[in-house]
Amino acid sequence: MRPTALDWSAENCTVARAMAVLGERWTLVVLREVFNGIRRFEDMREHSGIPRQVLTNRLHMLVEQGVLRRVPYREQGERERHEYRLTEKGFDLYPVLVAVREWGDRYLADPAGPPVDMVHRDCGSPVRTHLSCADGHEVGSPREVVTRPGAGAVRRTPAAAKAA
């Protein structure tokens, strides 16, 4: 049976666009650092082990994309430097980071367990991701979800759809 998704173009795919921003190995590590309160370049470099030029490039790209913003600071007797703060667009990535951590904890953690626990500040229970629809129904399995063309979908030409 031919998947109906072949009838629609993937050229304006938002997953591909998001991965153009987030898909490089070190990008989520930079975001992890900032979410954990490490906002200064040297602290990030030392804590994460990201090479200096790679960290410079990732921070520049995340600022350019509006995920982080640069905020100046000056230590007593030092030159002005910048720390990196999350924007609203950046904060919206938190569930992505939690989901990646959950997957890593499940499949890649050391035998002793994961190195970090994320817990709710108020009650101390573990933080987890879950899927729900806009009407509030919990989605228990990916098999409960179907995809369909959205408002921005572009139909493929019959010849291109047939060739695929």
Side-chain angles (χ1 to χ4, degrees), residues 112-157:
V116 174
D117 289 326
M118 296 171 125
V119 297
H120 184 219
R121 182 185 311 267
D122 289 347
C123 72
S125 291
V127 171
R128 294 189 299 253
T129 57
H130 74 276
L131 296 177
S132 62
C133 73
D135 285 339
H137 305 116
E138 187 156 330
V139 177
S141 163
R143 289 182 171 84
E144 296 177 35
V145 178
V146 296
T147 57
R148 62 181 185 203
V154 176
R155 193 176 245 321
R156 294 176 71 189
T157 62

mmCIF file of all heavy atoms in Angstrom, residues 112-157:
data_model
loop_
_atom_site.group_PDB
_atom_site.id
_atom_site.type_symbol
_atom_site.label_atom_id
_atom_site.label_comp_id
_atom_site.label_asym_id
_atom_site.label_seq_id
_atom_site.Cartn_x
_atom_site.Cartn_y
_atom_site.Cartn_z
ATOM 1 N N ALA A 112 24.722 2.152 36.775
ATOM 2 C CA ALA A 112 24.336 2.778 38.050
ATOM 3 C C ALA A 112 23.127 3.701 37.909
ATOM 4 O O ALA A 112 22.490 4.045 38.894
ATOM 5 C CB ALA A 112 25.515 3.567 38.614
ATOM 6 N N GLY A 113 22.818 4.067 36.671
ATOM 7 C CA GLY A 113 21.671 4.951 36.436
ATOM 8 C C GLY A 113 22.089 6.254 35.790
ATOM 9 O O GLY A 113 23.271 6.497 35.537
ATOM 10 N N PRO A 114 21.113 7.108 35.519
ATOM 11 C CA PRO A 114 21.411 8.375 34.849
ATOM 12 C C PRO A 114 22.206 9.318 35.755
ATOM 13 O O PRO A 114 22.098 9.244 36.984
ATOM 14 C CB PRO A 114 20.034 8.953 34.528
ATOM 15 C CG PRO A 114 19.090 8.276 35.436
ATOM 16 C CD PRO A 114 19.681 6.944 35.773
ATOM 17 N N PRO A 115 22.995 10.215 35.142
ATOM 18 C CA PRO A 115 23.829 11.120 35.929
ATOM 19 C C PRO A 115 23.064 12.294 36.547
ATOM 20 O O PRO A 115 23.551 12.922 37.475
ATOM 21 C CB PRO A 115 24.846 11.627 34.909
ATOM 22 C CG PRO A 115 24.120 11.548 33.608
ATOM 23 C CD PRO A 115 23.231 10.353 33.717
ATOM 24 N N VAL A 116 21.881 12.567 36.038
ATOM 25 C CA VAL A 116 21.106 13.731 36.498
ATOM 26 C C VAL A 116 19.648 13.327 36.618
ATOM 27 O O VAL A 116 19.127 12.594 35.772
ATOM 28 C CB VAL A 116 21.227 14.893 35.483
ATOM 29 C CG1 VAL A 116 20.322 16.051 35.851
ATOM 30 C CG2 VAL A 116 22.663 15.362 35.372
ATOM 31 N N ASP A 117 19.004 13.781 37.667
ATOM 32 C CA ASP A 117 17.559 13.625 37.796
ATOM 33 C C ASP A 117 16.928 15.000 37.621
ATOM 34 O O ASP A 117 17.437 15.996 38.127
ATOM 35 C CB ASP A 117 17.177 13.086 39.184
ATOM 36 C CG ASP A 117 17.576 11.635 39.370
ATOM 37 O OD1 ASP A 117 17.539 10.878 38.384
ATOM 38 O OD2 ASP A 117 17.916 11.264 40.504
ATOM 39 N N MET A 118 15.834 15.043 36.898
ATOM 40 C CA MET A 118 15.063 16.272 36.762
ATOM 41 C C MET A 118 13.791 16.067 37.557
ATOM 42 O O MET A 118 13.032 15.132 37.281
ATOM 43 C CB MET A 118 14.743 16.550 35.300
ATOM 44 C CG MET A 118 15.967 16.811 34.448
ATOM 45 S SD MET A 118 15.530 16.872 32.708
ATOM 46 C CE MET A 118 16.186 18.454 32.276
ATOM 47 N N VAL A 119 13.575 16.928 38.560
ATOM 48 C CA VAL A 119 12.422 16.757 39.435
ATOM 49 C C VAL A 119 11.643 18.061 39.537
ATOM 50 O O VAL A 119 12.190 19.156 39.366
ATOM 51 C CB VAL A 119 12.838 16.284 40.851
ATOM 52 C CG1 VAL A 119 13.504 14.905 40.790
ATOM 53 C CG2 VAL A 119 13.745 17.279 41.530
ATOM 54 N N HIS A 120 10.362 17.926 39.817
ATOM 55 C CA HIS A 120 9.485 19.067 40.013
ATOM 56 C C HIS A 120 9.895 19.787 41.298
ATOM 57 O O HIS A 120 9.997 19.160 42.358
ATOM 58 C CB HIS A 120 8.038 18.567 40.096
ATOM 59 C CG HIS A 120 7.027 19.643 40.194
ATOM 60 N ND1 HIS A 120 5.921 19.542 40.993
ATOM 61 C CD2 HIS A 120 6.946 20.850 39.579
ATOM 62 C CE1 HIS A 120 5.196 20.632 40.879
ATOM 63 N NE2 HIS A 120 5.794 21.443 40.027
ATOM 64 N N ARG A 121 10.138 21.070 41.197
ATOM 65 C CA ARG A 121 10.610 21.854 42.342
ATOM 66 C C ARG A 121 9.655 21.751 43.527
ATOM 67 O O ARG A 121 10.080 21.656 44.672
ATOM 68 C CB ARG A 121 10.768 23.323 41.933
ATOM 69 C CG ARG A 121 11.309 24.218 43.032
ATOM 70 C CD ARG A 121 11.343 25.692 42.636
ATOM 71 N NE ARG A 121 11.959 25.939 41.361
ATOM 72 C CZ ARG A 121 13.261 26.233 41.190
ATOM 73 N NH1 ARG A 121 14.065 26.305 42.224
ATOM 74 N NH2 ARG A 121 13.737 26.460 39.993
ATOM 75 N N ASP A 122 8.344 21.737 43.291
ATOM 76 C CA ASP A 122 7.366 21.755 44.381
ATOM 77 C C ASP A 122 7.240 20.433 45.122
ATOM 78 O O ASP A 122 7.119 20.406 46.339
ATOM 79 C CB ASP A 122 5.993 22.180 43.867
ATOM 80 C CG ASP A 122 5.946 23.656 43.486
ATOM 81 O OD1 ASP A 122 6.882 24.407 43.851
ATOM 82 O OD2 ASP A 122 4.977 24.055 42.830
ATOM 83 N N CYS A 123 7.266 19.298 44.382
ATOM 84 C CA CYS A 123 7.001 18.019 45.057
ATOM 85 C C CYS A 123 8.155 17.030 45.002
ATOM 86 O O CYS A 123 8.130 16.020 45.696
ATOM 87 C CB CYS A 123 5.740 17.382 44.475
ATOM 88 S SG CYS A 123 5.946 16.726 42.803
ATOM 89 N N GLY A 124 9.144 17.291 44.134
ATOM 90 C CA GLY A 124 10.294 16.403 44.046
ATOM 91 C C GLY A 124 10.103 15.181 43.158
ATOM 92 O O GLY A 124 10.998 14.353 43.060
ATOM 93 N N SER A 125 8.960 15.061 42.503
ATOM 94 C CA SER A 125 8.725 13.918 41.610
ATOM 95 C C SER A 125 9.456 14.119 40.289
ATOM 96 O O SER A 125 9.636 15.253 39.833
ATOM 97 C CB SER A 125 7.231 13.761 41.329
ATOM 98 O OG SER A 125 6.564 13.346 42.490
ATOM 99 N N PRO A 126 9.854 13.008 39.649
ATOM 100 C CA PRO A 126 10.556 13.116 38.364
ATOM 101 C C PRO A 126 9.711 13.829 37.306
ATOM 102 O O PRO A 126 8.490 13.669 37.257
ATOM 103 C CB PRO A 126 10.783 11.659 37.962
ATOM 104 C CG PRO A 126 10.715 10.887 39.234
ATOM 105 C CD PRO A 126 9.727 11.618 40.096
ATOM 106 N N VAL A 127 10.382 14.601 36.468
ATOM 107 C CA VAL A 127 9.733 15.299 35.357
ATOM 108 C C VAL A 127 9.825 14.402 34.137
ATOM 109 O O VAL A 127 10.880 13.858 33.832
ATOM 110 C CB VAL A 127 10.425 16.657 35.089
ATOM 111 C CG1 VAL A 127 9.906 17.300 33.815
ATOM 112 C CG2 VAL A 127 10.236 17.586 36.283
ATOM 113 N N ARG A 128 8.701 14.240 33.452
ATOM 114 C CA ARG A 128 8.638 13.414 32.245
ATOM 115 C C ARG A 128 7.865 14.148 31.165
ATOM 116 O O ARG A 128 7.077 15.049 31.450
ATOM 117 C CB ARG A 128 7.935 12.094 32.550
ATOM 118 C CG ARG A 128 8.681 11.196 33.504
ATOM 119 C CD ARG A 128 8.037 9.839 33.573
ATOM 120 N NE ARG A 128 6.669 9.932 34.047
ATOM 121 C CZ ARG A 128 6.253 9.554 35.251
ATOM 122 N NH1 ARG A 128 7.113 9.046 36.101
ATOM 123 N NH2 ARG A 128 4.995 9.646 35.593
ATOM 124 N N THR A 129 8.066 13.728 29.944
ATOM 125 C CA THR A 129 7.275 14.250 28.840
ATOM 126 C C THR A 129 6.109 13.303 28.587
ATOM 127 O O THR A 129 6.179 12.114 28.921
ATOM 128 C CB THR A 129 8.108 14.359 27.546
ATOM 129 O OG1 THR A 129 8.649 13.079 27.234
ATOM 130 C CG2 THR A 129 9.213 15.376 27.679
ATOM 131 N N HIS A 130 5.065 13.836 28.034
ATOM 132 C CA HIS A 130 3.962 12.999 27.578
ATOM 133 C C HIS A 130 3.254 13.721 26.453
ATOM 134 O O HIS A 130 3.323 14.945 26.342
ATOM 135 C CB HIS A 130 3.000 12.623 28.711
ATOM 136 C CG HIS A 130 2.117 13.744 29.149
ATOM 137 N ND1 HIS A 130 2.526 14.694 30.058
ATOM 138 C CD2 HIS A 130 0.859 14.081 28.788
ATOM 139 C CE1 HIS A 130 1.544 15.559 30.243
ATOM 140 N NE2 HIS A 130 0.535 15.219 29.486
ATOM 141 N N LEU A 131 2.583 12.964 25.615
ATOM 142 C CA LEU A 131 1.846 13.531 24.494
ATOM 143 C C LEU A 131 0.375 13.627 24.849
ATOM 144 O O LEU A 131 -0.183 12.727 25.482
ATOM 145 C CB LEU A 131 1.995 12.655 23.246
ATOM 146 C CG LEU A 131 3.396 12.517 22.665
ATOM 147 C CD1 LEU A 131 3.363 11.559 21.467
ATOM 148 C CD2 LEU A 131 3.941 13.859 22.249
ATOM 149 N N SER A 132 -0.229 14.718 24.419
ATOM 150 C CA SER A 132 -1.672 14.849 24.548
ATOM 151 C C SER A 132 -2.181 15.649 23.361
ATOM 152 O O SER A 132 -1.430 16.423 22.742
ATOM 153 C CB SER A 132 -2.054 15.543 25.867
ATOM 154 O OG SER A 132 -1.527 16.844 25.913
ATOM 155 N N CYS A 133 -3.446 15.478 23.045
ATOM 156 C CA CYS A 133 -4.037 16.254 21.955
ATOM 157 C C CYS A 133 -4.517 17.598 22.507
ATOM 158 O O CYS A 133 -4.514 17.815 23.721
ATOM 159 C CB CYS A 133 -5.169 15.482 21.293
ATOM 160 S SG CYS A 133 -6.681 15.369 22.279
ATOM 161 N N ALA A 134 -4.933 18.480 21.624
ATOM 162 C CA ALA A 134 -5.373 19.814 22.028
ATOM 163 C C ALA A 134 -6.602 19.771 22.931
ATOM 164 O O ALA A 134 -6.850 20.713 23.693
ATOM 165 C CB ALA A 134 -5.648 20.671 20.797
ATOM 166 N N ASP A 135 -7.357 18.680 22.891
ATOM 167 C CA ASP A 135 -8.529 18.546 23.765
ATOM 168 C C ASP A 135 -8.178 17.907 25.113
ATOM 169 O O ASP A 135 -9.058 17.653 25.934
ATOM 170 C CB ASP A 135 -9.625 17.720 23.077
ATOM 171 C CG ASP A 135 -10.352 18.513 22.005
ATOM 172 O OD1 ASP A 135 -10.311 19.766 22.059
ATOM 173 O OD2 ASP A 135 -10.952 17.890 21.115
ATOM 174 N N GLY A 136 -6.879 17.624 25.326
ATOM 175 C CA GLY A 136 -6.434 17.125 26.625
ATOM 176 C C GLY A 136 -6.392 15.620 26.769
ATOM 177 O O GLY A 136 -6.094 15.119 27.854
ATOM 178 N N HIS A 137 -6.676 14.868 25.704
ATOM 179 C CA HIS A 137 -6.591 13.408 25.790
ATOM 180 C C HIS A 137 -5.134 12.973 25.752
ATOM 181 O O HIS A 137 -4.383 13.401 24.884
ATOM 182 C CB HIS A 137 -7.346 12.753 24.625
ATOM 183 C CG HIS A 137 -8.763 13.188 24.532
ATOM 184 N ND1 HIS A 137 -9.253 13.888 23.456
ATOM 185 C CD2 HIS A 137 -9.788 13.052 25.397
ATOM 186 C CE1 HIS A 137 -10.529 14.149 23.652
ATOM 187 N NE2 HIS A 137 -10.881 13.652 24.824
ATOM 188 N N GLU A 138 -4.741 12.130 26.695
ATOM 189 C CA GLU A 138 -3.374 11.626 26.701
ATOM 190 C C GLU A 138 -3.192 10.629 25.567
ATOM 191 O O GLU A 138 -4.051 9.780 25.318
ATOM 192 C CB GLU A 138 -3.043 10.960 28.037
ATOM 193 C CG GLU A 138 -1.587 10.578 28.114
ATOM 194 C CD GLU A 138 -1.072 10.474 29.529
ATOM 195 O OE1 GLU A 138 -1.582 11.183 30.417
ATOM 196 O OE2 GLU A 138 -0.150 9.669 29.721
ATOM 197 N N VAL A 139 -2.071 10.750 24.853
ATOM 198 C CA VAL A 139 -1.727 9.845 23.761
ATOM 199 C C VAL A 139 -0.729 8.845 24.322
ATOM 200 O O VAL A 139 0.391 9.203 24.676
ATOM 201 C CB VAL A 139 -1.126 10.621 22.567
ATOM 202 C CG1 VAL A 139 -0.713 9.664 21.463
ATOM 203 C CG2 VAL A 139 -2.110 11.665 22.056
ATOM 204 N N GLY A 140 -1.129 7.603 24.424
ATOM 205 C CA GLY A 140 -0.302 6.586 25.061
ATOM 206 C C GLY A 140 0.714 5.933 24.148
ATOM 207 O O GLY A 140 1.676 5.345 24.621
ATOM 208 N N SER A 141 0.532 6.046 22.843
ATOM 209 C CA SER A 141 1.417 5.370 21.905
ATOM 210 C C SER A 141 1.464 6.167 20.598
ATOM 211 O O SER A 141 0.451 6.746 20.197
ATOM 212 C CB SER A 141 0.886 3.961 21.623
ATOM 213 O OG SER A 141 1.468 3.421 20.458
ATOM 214 N N PRO A 142 2.597 6.148 19.925
ATOM 215 C CA PRO A 142 2.651 6.799 18.609
ATOM 216 C C PRO A 142 1.645 6.206 17.619
ATOM 217 O O PRO A 142 1.236 6.877 16.679
ATOM 218 C CB PRO A 142 4.085 6.535 18.133
ATOM 219 C CG PRO A 142 4.859 6.274 19.371
ATOM 220 C CD PRO A 142 3.898 5.643 20.340
ATOM 221 N N ARG A 143 1.221 4.978 17.857
ATOM 222 C CA ARG A 143 0.233 4.355 16.962
ATOM 223 C C ARG A 143 -1.150 5.001 17.076
ATOM 224 O O ARG A 143 -2.024 4.765 16.260
ATOM 225 C CB ARG A 143 0.156 2.859 17.254
ATOM 226 C CG ARG A 143 1.390 2.119 16.788
ATOM 227 C CD ARG A 143 1.277 0.625 17.055
ATOM 228 N NE ARG A 143 2.351 -0.108 16.424
ATOM 229 C CZ ARG A 143 3.556 -0.283 16.946
ATOM 230 N NH1 ARG A 143 3.843 0.237 18.121
ATOM 231 N NH2 ARG A 143 4.473 -0.974 16.303
ATOM 232 N N GLU A 144 -1.350 5.819 18.096
ATOM 233 C CA GLU A 144 -2.612 6.532 18.266
ATOM 234 C C GLU A 144 -2.641 7.862 17.502
ATOM 235 O O GLU A 144 -3.623 8.587 17.562
ATOM 236 C CB GLU A 144 -2.866 6.803 19.750
ATOM 237 C CG GLU A 144 -3.049 5.556 20.586
ATOM 238 C CD GLU A 144 -3.219 5.881 22.058
ATOM 239 O OE1 GLU A 144 -3.829 6.915 22.386
ATOM 240 O OE2 GLU A 144 -2.717 5.098 22.882
ATOM 241 N N VAL A 145 -1.553 8.176 16.804
ATOM 242 C CA VAL A 145 -1.429 9.443 16.096
ATOM 243 C C VAL A 145 -1.399 9.178 14.595
ATOM 244 O O VAL A 145 -0.752 8.233 14.138
ATOM 245 C CB VAL A 145 -0.135 10.182 16.524
ATOM 246 C CG1 VAL A 145 0.026 11.489 15.762
ATOM 247 C CG2 VAL A 145 -0.134 10.418 18.024
ATOM 248 N N VAL A 146 -2.105 9.994 13.847
ATOM 249 C CA VAL A 146 -2.032 9.954 12.384
ATOM 250 C C VAL A 146 -1.569 11.322 11.902
ATOM 251 O O VAL A 146 -1.836 12.335 12.534
ATOM 252 C CB VAL A 146 -3.386 9.587 11.723
ATOM 253 C CG1 VAL A 146 -3.819 8.187 12.104
ATOM 254 C CG2 VAL A 146 -4.456 10.592 12.074
ATOM 255 N N THR A 147 -0.857 11.321 10.817
ATOM 256 C CA THR A 147 -0.464 12.590 10.205
ATOM 257 C C THR A 147 -1.372 12.870 9.034
ATOM 258 O O THR A 147 -1.892 11.943 8.391
ATOM 259 C CB THR A 147 1.004 12.562 9.739
ATOM 260 O OG1 THR A 147 1.184 11.476 8.842
ATOM 261 C CG2 THR A 147 1.947 12.418 10.916
ATOM 262 N N ARG A 148 -1.567 14.146 8.785
ATOM 263 C CA ARG A 148 -2.363 14.568 7.637
ATOM 264 C C ARG A 148 -1.830 15.918 7.184
ATOM 265 O O ARG A 148 -1.140 16.600 7.946
ATOM 266 C CB ARG A 148 -3.844 14.638 7.994
ATOM 267 C CG ARG A 148 -4.158 15.637 9.082
ATOM 268 C CD ARG A 148 -5.624 15.648 9.417
ATOM 269 N NE ARG A 148 -5.882 16.704 10.389
ATOM 270 C CZ ARG A 148 -6.900 16.732 11.199
ATOM 271 N NH1 ARG A 148 -7.781 15.756 11.168
ATOM 272 N NH2 ARG A 148 -7.065 17.731 12.028
ATOM 273 N N PRO A 149 -2.135 16.294 5.969
ATOM 274 C CA PRO A 149 -1.630 17.574 5.476
ATOM 275 C C PRO A 149 -2.111 18.729 6.345
ATOM 276 O O PRO A 149 -3.273 18.771 6.752
ATOM 277 C CB PRO A 149 -2.203 17.675 4.063
ATOM 278 C CG PRO A 149 -2.533 16.259 3.683
ATOM 279 C CD PRO A 149 -2.901 15.569 4.959
ATOM 280 N N GLY A 150 -1.201 19.648 6.652
ATOM 281 C CA GLY A 150 -1.545 20.827 7.430
ATOM 282 C C GLY A 150 -1.846 22.013 6.533
ATOM 283 O O GLY A 150 -1.827 21.911 5.296
ATOM 284 N N ALA A 151 -2.085 23.153 7.153
ATOM 285 C CA ALA A 151 -2.454 24.355 6.409
ATOM 286 C C ALA A 151 -1.358 24.779 5.426
ATOM 287 O O ALA A 151 -1.655 25.353 4.379
ATOM 288 C CB ALA A 151 -2.754 25.496 7.381
ATOM 289 N N GLY A 152 -0.112 24.498 5.741
ATOM 290 C CA GLY A 152 0.985 24.892 4.856
ATOM 291 C C GLY A 152 1.438 23.804 3.894
ATOM 292 O O GLY A 152 2.451 23.951 3.220
ATOM 293 N N ALA A 153 0.682 22.713 3.808
ATOM 294 C CA ALA A 153 1.070 21.594 2.941
ATOM 295 C C ALA A 153 1.018 21.996 1.476
ATOM 296 O O ALA A 153 0.162 22.774 1.062
ATOM 297 C CB ALA A 153 0.154 20.397 3.172
ATOM 298 N N VAL A 154 1.968 21.466 0.714
ATOM 299 C CA VAL A 154 2.014 21.699 -0.721
ATOM 300 C C VAL A 154 1.884 20.349 -1.405
ATOM 301 O O VAL A 154 2.671 19.435 -1.147
ATOM 302 C CB VAL A 154 3.345 22.383 -1.122
ATOM 303 C CG1 VAL A 154 3.442 22.540 -2.626
ATOM 304 C CG2 VAL A 154 3.488 23.713 -0.406
ATOM 305 N N ARG A 155 0.869 20.220 -2.244
ATOM 306 C CA ARG A 155 0.651 18.966 -2.960
ATOM 307 C C ARG A 155 1.738 18.792 -4.004
ATOM 308 O O ARG A 155 2.106 19.725 -4.681
ATOM 309 C CB ARG A 155 -0.715 18.958 -3.622
ATOM 310 C CG ARG A 155 -1.105 17.572 -4.100
ATOM 311 C CD ARG A 155 -2.509 17.556 -4.667
ATOM 312 N NE ARG A 155 -3.556 16.809 -4.038
ATOM 313 C CZ ARG A 155 -3.525 15.623 -3.476
ATOM 314 N NH1 ARG A 155 -2.401 15.006 -3.329
ATOM 315 N NH2 ARG A 155 -4.582 15.035 -3.006
ATOM 316 N N ARG A 156 2.277 17.584 -4.093
ATOM 317 C CA ARG A 156 3.272 17.271 -5.118
ATOM 318 C C ARG A 156 2.576 17.142 -6.453
ATOM 319 O O ARG A 156 1.411 16.760 -6.523
ATOM 320 C CB ARG A 156 3.981 15.967 -4.780
ATOM 321 C CG ARG A 156 4.815 16.095 -3.504
ATOM 322 C CD ARG A 156 5.442 14.808 -3.119
ATOM 323 N NE ARG A 156 6.505 14.507 -4.065
ATOM 324 C CZ ARG A 156 7.148 13.353 -4.095
ATOM 325 N NH1 ARG A 156 6.830 12.398 -3.260
ATOM 326 N NH2 ARG A 156 8.100 13.137 -4.962
ATOM 327 N N THR A 157 3.295 17.433 -7.509
ATOM 328 C CA THR A 157 2.723 17.263 -8.850
ATOM 329 C C THR A 157 2.480 15.776 -9.072
ATOM 330 O O THR A 157 3.208 14.932 -8.527
ATOM 331 C CB THR A 157 3.680 17.801 -9.924
ATOM 332 O OG1 THR A 157 4.892 17.058 -9.874
ATOM 333 C CG2 THR A 157 3.950 19.278 -9.718
#
